[in-house]
Each structure stands twice: as C-alpha cells, then as structure tokens.
C-alpha cells in the first residue's frame, strides 16, 4: 500500500481498567468463513488461528472501536493500494474492488455503498477504520478480547486527519532567483518552521491566555504558504508538521484553528497568488469559515458577496528584482478576486492603542484596487471596522499582512473588528498591551493569525511578546 503523507498526530491515551471484553460481530448472511480476534492492549490479531502482527492495537475512540486495517486485510487475502484523486484506500479480493475513503464514513464494496456511524482516521501515522466497516468489508466473524485502550482527542489533535497529498504539487524544472522559486508560471518561497521556533512561538501565544480573562475566546491560526500545496519536491518543506508542533504546545486556554485542511480541500481554486507571497481573499475565506465552524457559527457562502476581478503582479516581482525571474513573473500576472464586505459600515486607522491619534479613514475592502492593498488599504497600526452584524460582539485580530485579507470576513459575525499589526507597536514609542486594550474596549474574542515566516522570525515573536 502506498504510504500516506500526513501532518502528524497528537493524542492522549488511557487504558480501561475493566474485565476482559469479548464481542462477536454478526456480519452478512454470506459469511466468508474467516475468523479474526483483536486483542486489546496488544499489536497483533489472531486471524484464522494464526498470530498476525499489526501496525497498532485496537482502540476505543468515543465508544467506537477502531482497528489498524492494513495488515489484517492483507492477511485475509486483500490486495491494497491507494487512489489519490478520491483519497481512498483500494482493497481488492475475489475480483471485487472496494474503496475505503479517508476521513469519511464511506466504504464502497464493489458498487455497494456502506456508511459507518464513524469516520476513518489516521492515528500514529497508521490508517484506522471503524470495526463495523472492517466487518462489513471482510464478512469475517470478528471478536475482541482484553482491555481496549481508550483514546481521547481534543483540540490539540485537530491535525490528526489532515492529509496534504501531491494532487496539486507542481513538477518539472524549478528555477531559483534570489529567494524566489519559479515552477512554470508559479512563484513561491521555500519556507519551513523549525521545531524550536514553533515551540517558542506557542509559549508566547500561551502568555496571551494568561493575560486575559477566561471569558475571552483566544484563537490561534497559522496559515501555510502556497509551497505547502504546490511546491515541487525541492521547495516543499512540510510546514504542516511545524504547525502541528505549534498546536500541540498550545495550552488548553488557546483554541487552534486548522487552516491547512480547508485550504488543501480547496487547493484547486485560487487560494494563493502565483506572483505574491500572500494568500488570496478566497483562501482567507476558507480559514474564516473554519473558525466559524469551530465556534459553532455560520459563515455566509461566498456567493453572497459581490465580486470584482482585476490584473495584479505581486510581491515576488520585487523579491526577484534585477534577475530574469522578475521578467518571468511580470509576464504572467495574477487575476485578483476582490469580494465586497456587505456588512461594512465604517472604518478608521489609528497610530495608538487608545485611538487618540487618527491616521486615516479605511474601508474593509477596496474593490477598485487591483492589489493586496485592496484589503484594509494595507498595513495600519490599528484599524477599527464597524459593521451591521447587530450582535454587539467585538473581535481583536493580531496579525502581520496575512491578516489583511482575513479580517474583513469577520464583519459577518462581529459588530466591531479591531485589527492590530504586531509590527507597528512597541518599537517606535507607541506601546500596545493586550490586557490594557481589553480593559479599554472589553472585546469578546482574540484571534492571532500568522504565517510560517512570522512563526520562524525571532523579531515577530519578540513583537508578540511585547504585547503581553
């Protein structure tokens, strides 16, 4: 079976201190004649009287039993493979081809669809399927015995089922011009998140939790760059693994938001610019929607927002200035999508935390501006957006430029959105302290959004630390 590249798993494991369990699974009327016993607390099964080593022991997740499926299926005579376009394990036996869909409740056994009450999942880098799905696929008499481990997942584990495959990965020659890599007409950076940087970043984010009242929701979003999904092998750095390290080191006070999964699911769309290091407003929408899903709130569909398009050549042209790469990038500009913010009422930017030093009026989105400046008009120290959500809720976004395309979406769910550029304070005389700001405006939620360069930057981490 082809190995599946995944982000990684964080888990909490506890054994059930109980008497041995012995369950018989009654399958279809046409039993295969095979017998399988899964032994709790042991990485083997007894299959047709023979001991077969497994990749992992049987586990209990929320009352559903899961089994590491590869080796027992092989022992039962299945040939296994992988179908990337539908993210499914292929299992073939007796000329019947079955598809076990990853992160799904669906099994196709030949032309027949079976729906389990529970999803398949990746755990400890091993593909696990619900025991009822295994039973339906194999038609075997299945039993369990012994103490079965209970696995409890929480928000630290949200990357468990996140798979970044090669479906959209570019191939062919890649040219490097300074810090810019170009594959075809796609420019990108080679960016990684070192483990130590991820740990240090998480430690600073945790301090925000200590500084604010427990009534404030605190959310952390780390957004991968385009190379995570499109970068050829010499550019791809597995940023998802670094994001996983950040999230597993966050305290329970901080709620991590998995932007990787929805972005990869929509990687066939224009979620990043080809000529700029930023994501697009469309890409930011999918991260915003994930945040709302976690909060149990509704994100209006993209079709609700009036759209204008334009032609745009982004930051990579200047990054590659003076090289042949500059000409390549300028020869194939982006088409920029600019979605309106219908609930926007007014906006202003300020130079100080207490909003005494007015900078300029600001719109959430400038649909006549064909560049990344279309979002908030660019980077301001403090931007205040008011909208017609009508619920009185206030959100604070601490960001670098990746937050510009993200923040306007929040007007759908908050009456006021305060956007703070982490780079603009505590260095030139203007101080910003998050607890003081809370005491001043009493916000409901804090959203800290960064991308891998910022996580890896000691300078940005210092800026964040100075906010505490």
């Amino acid at each position: 079976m082809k190995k599946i590249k995944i982000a990684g798993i964080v888990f909490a494991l506890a054994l059930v201190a109980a008497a041995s369990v012995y369950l018989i699974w009654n399958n279809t009327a046409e039993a295969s004649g095979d017998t399988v016993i899964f032994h709790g607390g042991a990485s083997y099964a007894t299959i047709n009287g023979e001991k077969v080593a497994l990749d992992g022991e049987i586990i209990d997740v929320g009352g559903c039993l899961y089994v590491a499926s590869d080796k027992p299926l092989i022992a039962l005579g299945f040939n296994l493979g992988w179908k990337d376009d539908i993210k499914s394990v292929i299992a073939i036996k007796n000329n019947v081809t079955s598809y076990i869909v990853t992160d799904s409740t669906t099994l196709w056994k030949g032309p027949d669809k079976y729906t389990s009450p529970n999803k398949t999942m990746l755990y400890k880098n091993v593909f696990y399927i619900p025991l009822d799905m295994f039973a339906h696929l194999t038609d075997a008499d299945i039993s369990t015995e012994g103490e079965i481990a209970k696995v409890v997942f929480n928000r630290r584990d949200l990357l468990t089922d996140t798979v970044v495959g090669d479906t959209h990965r570019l191939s062919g020659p890649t040219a490097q011009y300074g810090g810019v890599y170009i594959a075809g007409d796609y420019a990108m950076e080679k960016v990684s998140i070192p483990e130590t940087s991820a740990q240090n970043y998480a430690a600073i984010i945790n301090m925000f939790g200590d500084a604010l009242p427990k009534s404030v929701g605190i959310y952390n979003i780390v957004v991968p760059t385009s190379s995570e999904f499109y970068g050829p092998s010499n550019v791809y750095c597995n940023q998802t693994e670094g994001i996983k390290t950040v999230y597993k080191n966050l305290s329970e006070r901080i709620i991590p938001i998995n932007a990787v999964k929805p972005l990869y699911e929509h990687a066939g769309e224009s979620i990043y610019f080809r000529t700029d290091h930023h994501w697009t407003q469309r890409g930011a929408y999918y991260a915003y929607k994930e945040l709302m899903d976690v909060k149990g709130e509704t994100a209006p569909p993209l079709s609700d927002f009036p759209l204008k398009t334009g032609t745009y050549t982004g930051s990579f042209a200047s990054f590659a200035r003076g090289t042949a790469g500059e000409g390549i990038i300028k020869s194939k500009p982006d088409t920029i999508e600019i979605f309106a913010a219908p609930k926007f009422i007014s906006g202003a930017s300020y130079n100080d935390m207490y909003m005494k030093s007015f900078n300029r009026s600001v719109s959430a989105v400038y649909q006549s501006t064909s560049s990344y400046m279309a979002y908030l008009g660019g980077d301001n120290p403090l931007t205040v957006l008011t909208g017609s959500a009508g619920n009185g809720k206030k959100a604070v976004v601490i960001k670098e430029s990746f937050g510009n395309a993200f923040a306007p979406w929040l007007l759908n769910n908050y009456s006021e959105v305060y956007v703070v550029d982490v780079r603009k304070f505590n260095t030139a005389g203007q101080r910003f302290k998050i607890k003081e700001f809370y005491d001043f405006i009493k916000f409901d939620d804090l959203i800290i959004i960064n991308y891998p360069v910022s996580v890896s930057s000691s300078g940005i981490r210092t800026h964040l630390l100075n906010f505490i």
Side-chain angles (χ1 to χ4, degrees):
M1 175 185 171
K2 177 180 175 180
K3 290 194 177 203
I4 305 171
K5 177 166 39 176
I6 66 170
I9 294 96
V10 183
F11 63 94
L13 185 63
L15 288 176
V16 182
S20 294
V21 179
Y22 192 85
L23 300 174
I24 297 290
W25 284 76
N26 294 317
N27 302 316
T28 65
E30 296 181 9
S32 65
D34 294 309
T35 61
V36 181
I37 304 173
F38 290 103
H39 305 276
S43 294
Y44 71 89
T46 303
I47 298 178
N48 295 328
E50 299 291 331
K51 185 175 180 179
V52 176
L54 305 181
D55 292 322
E57 62 184 278
I58 186 172
I59 56 175
D60 179 338
V61 181
C64 174
L65 300 184
Y66 279 85
V67 294
S69 58
D70 290 15
K71 290 183 178 177
L73 289 177
I74 292 170
L76 290 169
F78 286 86
N79 293 316
L80 302 183
W82 172 251
K83 189 167 176 55
D84 193 62
D85 59 342
I86 58 172
K87 295 293 179 289
S88 297
V89 173
I90 304 170
I92 303 173
K93 183 179 180 181
N94 297 332
N95 296 318
V96 177
T97 300
S98 301
Y99 297 94
I100 312 169
V101 185
T102 60
D103 187 30
S104 171
T105 60
T106 300
L107 163 71
W108 287 96
K109 186 175 181 181
D112 300 323
K113 181 180 180 181
Y114 172 77
T115 302
S116 170
N118 297 279
K119 287 184 176 183
T120 59
M121 69 175 184
L122 293 163
Y123 175 69
K124 290 189 177 181
N125 293 3
V126 175
F127 186 56
Y128 273 76
I129 68 175
L131 190 54
D132 63 289
M133 186 180 288
F134 181 89
H136 186 85
L137 175 61
T138 62
D139 292 330
D141 287 326
I142 300 172
S143 60
T144 69
E145 62 180 24
E147 297 177 348
I148 298 176
K150 279 195 173 181
V151 176
V152 180
F153 293 112
N154 57 34
R155 290 303 305 172
R156 305 296 81 94
D157 309 309
L158 82 175
L159 291 176
T160 295
D161 60 357
T162 298
V163 180
V164 176
D166 297 330
T167 302
H168 304 282
R169 199 163 303 288
L170 300 171
S171 58
T174 303
Q176 181 179 359
Y177 303 94
V180 179
Y181 293 79
I182 301 178
D185 63 352
Y186 212 117
M188 63 195 75
E189 294 177 288
K190 186 175 184 177
V191 181
S192 64
I193 304 177
E195 183 175 11
T196 300
S197 296
Q199 293 169 341
N200 292 339
Y201 174 85
I204 294 169
I205 301 302
N206 289 339
M207 294 180 188
F208 284 86
D210 297 333
L212 293 171
K214 295 191 183 304
S215 59
V216 177
I218 306 178
Y219 303 87
N220 181 235
I221 309 175
V222 180
V223 182
T225 68
S226 61
S227 64
E228 185 69 359
F229 309 122
Y230 312 111
S233 58
N234 66 322
V235 181
Y236 169 74
C237 292
N238 195 358
Q239 296 168 4
T240 301
E241 186 67 20
I243 296 171
K244 180 200 74 173
T245 301
V246 171
Y247 287 1
K248 79 176 182 181
N249 283 283
L250 292 176
S251 70
E252 291 296 322
R253 179 75 177 86
I254 312 299
I255 301 174
I257 301 299
N258 182 359
V260 178
K261 186 175 182 180
L263 286 171
Y264 182 61
E265 288 173 346
H266 293 275
E269 304 172 29
S270 297
I271 58 172
Y272 292 93
F273 294 109
R274 292 180 295 98
T275 67
D276 196 288
H277 68 287
H278 293 106
W279 57 356
T280 64
Q281 192 184 10
R282 179 183 289 270
Y285 168 83
Y286 292 120
Y288 149 73
K289 185 178 185 302
E290 183 70 15
L291 170 66
M292 290 303 116
D293 287 348
V294 169
K295 287 175 58 62
E297 299 182 22
T298 300
L302 270 175
S303 58
D304 282 4
F305 303 94
L307 171 66
K308 289 187 177 181
T309 60
T311 301
Y312 170 49
T313 299
S315 59
F316 284 136
S318 61
F319 290 4
R321 183 173 291 135
T323 71
E326 180 181 8
I328 295 172
I329 293 167
K330 288 182 175 179
S331 69
K332 295 183 178 179
D334 276 296
T335 296
I336 183 172
E337 295 180 318
I338 307 173
F339 295 90
K343 292 194 175 183
F344 171 73
I345 295 176
S346 65
S349 71
Y350 299 88
N351 297 311
D352 67 311
M353 178 175 69
Y354 289 103
M355 295 174 277
K356 294 180 179 179
S357 176
F358 176 78
N359 184 13
R360 62 190 176 102
S361 296
V362 172
S363 181
V365 176
Y366 295 83
Q367 283 199 290
S368 60
T369 302
S370 292
S371 75
Y372 199 71
M373 294 286 287
Y375 316 116
L376 307 181
D379 296 319
N380 307 296
L382 171 61
T383 302
V384 182
L385 306 176
T386 60
S388 59
N391 55 22
K393 290 184 178 180
K394 303 175 184 179
V396 172
V397 180
I398 295 179
K399 59 88 186 182
E400 24 73 3
S401 58
F402 256 67
N404 294 4
F406 173 83
W409 292 118
L410 297 175
L411 287 171
N412 296 299
N413 303 82
Y414 296 91
S415 295
E416 299 175 18
V417 179
Y418 298 80
V419 189
V420 188
D421 195 308
V422 70
R423 303 162 297 181
K424 303 291 186 178
F425 288 99
N426 300 316
T427 56
Q430 288 292 355
R431 62 192 299 277
F432 195 108
K433 299 296 180 182
I434 195 62
K435 179 58 167 64
E436 289 182 32
F437 196 61
Y438 172 78
D439 291 338
F440 180 46
I441 68 166
K442 296 294 191 295
F443 53 86
D444 298 277
D445 291 329
L446 172 65
I447 302 154
I448 304 171
I449 183 168
N450 292 110
Y451 80 126
V453 171
S454 299
V455 174
S456 301
S457 166
S458 60
I460 294 294
R461 294 199 304 271
T462 299
H463 283 310
L464 284 167
L465 185 61
N466 288 337
F467 271 56
I468 309 302

